Amino acid sequence: MNPRKLQFRFLATCCLAALQGCAMDPSELAEQGELGNHEQAELAYNPGAGWNLVWQDEFDGTALNGANWTVLTSNWDPVTNNCNFGTGELEYPRAQNVTVGGGKLVITAERTSDNPVDSRCTGYGPRSFYSGRLHTKGKVERRYGKIAASIKIPSGYGMWPAFWTLGGNVSTVGWPSSGEIDILEWHSNEPTWMKSATHWYNGGQADWGTGQSGGYNLADSFHTYELEWTASSMVFRLDGQFVGATYYHNETEFQQPHYLILNLAIGGNWYGNPSPASIALPAGTKKTMEVEWVRWYQPGSSTSVSLTNPGFESGMTGWTTWSPNGTEAADFSETYNGGHSGAYHLTHWNNASPFEVWTYQPRSGLATGNYKVRAWVRKGGGFDLARLQAKTCGSCAPVYTDLGTYGNWTLVETPAIYVSGGYLELGFHTRASVGNSGNYIHMDDVELIRL
């Protein structure tokens, strides 16, 4: 969603159908069953071989990570220095409409009669809706790689959810000279389509667009949206399998670091500047855009180091269990619900009493260098501590990734750890202070990767 998109954007993003003033919104048809909804819980995601996770936000906890994100608090954007984001949007972003809870980022849109106005935007009139907009400018800015997110977008006429990037130099050079990459935009006229586009400067605004449809309504359930970006090409994917046209490029705008943006816009020029009254968001109701995770990968050569029984097909062979309170039995190999790729997996669970368990595999004789640990995880319930971790001695501080709530098998990895003494302990550390049958962690297919 660029700061000054023109109406021909319909063509740039694969010819959206023209709006018909009194026609039924196709997203409403979908809700009536004429378009198949594709209900999905949290999706397993594998970036593929050769990709290393360099940044992520899993939205665990109860507050947004301010080291990653800045939340806008009006319809004036201090980064791009414009009102209504150059697209005539009808919303007024504010902090209370951006929340974190239940392992998700939630952006909430709602109609308002408060008529909010920013003094820097008085000439544009009051806004009719509250919503949310956040970005990583000055905090997370990178070039190239694979950018992916699991997002649930809301249905309804006028909803304009987006996951996109702007060049980090936008405050100095302006738009479109900064470059823009739209990974996901959604329009209610074509509810099965993930729309993607790029914008840059070539004697004026230049645009390229593509789209991909899975044949099901994308709204109101989670899907993965992905960009694979190199110095010469971009590939956009929906749910890892539906791929639009490849964008081949050499523009300088796409050879520099970009930052990420997530927002739920309402109305605006992509919808033909509709009136607030026509938006499918009645007073007293709310619509949400939910994000389970955002991840940024970079390509890199890596070598898998052999582990003993990484899929737990041979029970606990090769794995050691430590507990400070005699609750080692809370970890075991089982076939319950199957594993990620085989019949077995590791489980940490004790429905009757508290426990703490560190299940690990010691490795010696490792070459000096940086390593990461990866594993497939499913997790439900509440834990005081739940980590995939590695450490270079029994008493050393670990590097770790806190495990979120994963309804489906999800690939998780630790930050890099430097090994100089040849020794590493790697595995899973969990603690629950209250016994609860809803608390479980399933782990499978553990990998040790030398970077």
Side-chain angles (χ1 to χ4, degrees), residues 86-403:
T87 55
E89 298 166 25
L90 300 173
E91 78 278 0
Y92 188 97
R94 59 178 185 171
Q96 53 264 56
N97 287 64
V98 178
T99 57
V100 170
K104 298 177 180 65
L105 164 73
V106 181
I107 302 173
T108 302
E110 55 189 317
R111 190 180 291 269
T112 177
S113 58
D114 297 348
N115 300 318
V117 176
D118 189 295
S119 60
R120 292 159 291 194
C121 300
T122 52
Y124 293 88
R127 302 295 89 199
S128 301
F129 302 89
Y130 287 123
S131 190
R133 185 182 184 102
L134 64 160
H135 63 76
T136 66
K137 178 76 177 76
K139 299 176 178 180
V140 180
E141 298 184 28
R142 293 183 175 274
R143 181 178 70 163
Y144 311 146
K146 183 172 287 192
I147 307 169
S150 174
I151 303 174
K152 182 168 74 172
I153 57 179
S155 61
Y157 177 74
M159 298 300 107
W160 188 356
F163 172 41
W164 53 297
T165 80
L166 281 175
N169 63 350
V170 66
S171 297
T172 2
V173 305
W175 186 93
S177 297
S178 62
E180 174 184 341
I181 307 171
D182 299 318
I183 304 171
L184 158 71
E185 292 183 279
W186 182 88
H187 194 293
S188 65
N189 267 27
E190 293 186 301
T192 71
W193 285 83
M194 164 190 173
K195 297 292 185 174
S196 305
T198 62
H199 307 276
W200 67 98
Y201 183 82
N202 184 12
Q205 178 180 335
D207 310 273
W208 176 92
T210 188
Q212 39 276 357
S213 171
Y216 41 77
N217 188 1
L218 300 183
D220 301 322
S221 59
F222 283 98
H223 299 277
T224 57
Y225 303 95
E226 173 189 305
L227 161 69
E228 187 173 327
W229 170 25
T230 73
S232 58
S233 66
M234 295 183 195
V235 178
F236 302 84
R237 296 185 181 91
L238 166 64
D239 289 337
Q241 55 183 320
F242 303 104
V243 185
T246 299
Y247 172 52
Y248 297 99
H249 67 90
N250 59 6
E251 292 78 20
T252 58
E253 291 90 337
F254 305 123
Q255 313 298 335
Q256 63 160 334
H258 278 225
Y259 65 94
L260 303 174
I261 305 159
L262 288 162
N263 67 284
L264 176 51
I266 300 172
N269 62 6
W270 204 29
Y271 276 90
N273 296 305
S275 69
S278 68
I279 302 300
L281 184 54
T285 65
K286 297 180 179 180
K287 292 196 174 184
T288 60
M289 173 180 174
E290 300 180 23
V291 186
E292 292 177 312
W293 47 262
V294 181
R295 299 169 187 161
W296 202 320
Y297 300 83
Q298 295 288 352
S301 58
S302 59
T303 305
S304 182
V305 178
S306 176
L307 296 178
T308 301
N309 190 28
F312 304 96
E313 299 299 306
S314 300
M316 300 301 294
T317 301
W319 296 91
T320 299
T321 299
W322 170 88
S323 173
N325 52 16
T327 56
E328 294 89 344
D331 78 328
F332 49 92
S333 177
E334 65 169 351
T335 60
Y336 177 73
N337 281 344
H340 170 253
S341 61
Y344 290 82
H345 58 253
L346 173 70
T347 289
H348 282 193
W349 179 71
N350 188 330
N351 70 330
S353 59
F355 69 91
E356 181 174 359
V357 171
W358 164 225
T359 299
Y360 66 96
Q361 183 162 149
R363 292 291 303 171
S364 58
L366 297 175
T368 298
N370 288 307
Y371 293 79
K372 285 186 177 183
V373 181
R374 293 176 180 164
W376 289 87
V377 179
R378 292 179 67 239
K379 173 176 171 286
F383 289 79
D384 303 315
L385 181 149
R387 294 173 174 173
L388 174 66
Q389 69 180 40
K391 53 184 180 176
T392 54
C393 71
S395 59
C396 294
V399 302
Y400 61 87
T401 293
D402 287 317
L403 302 177

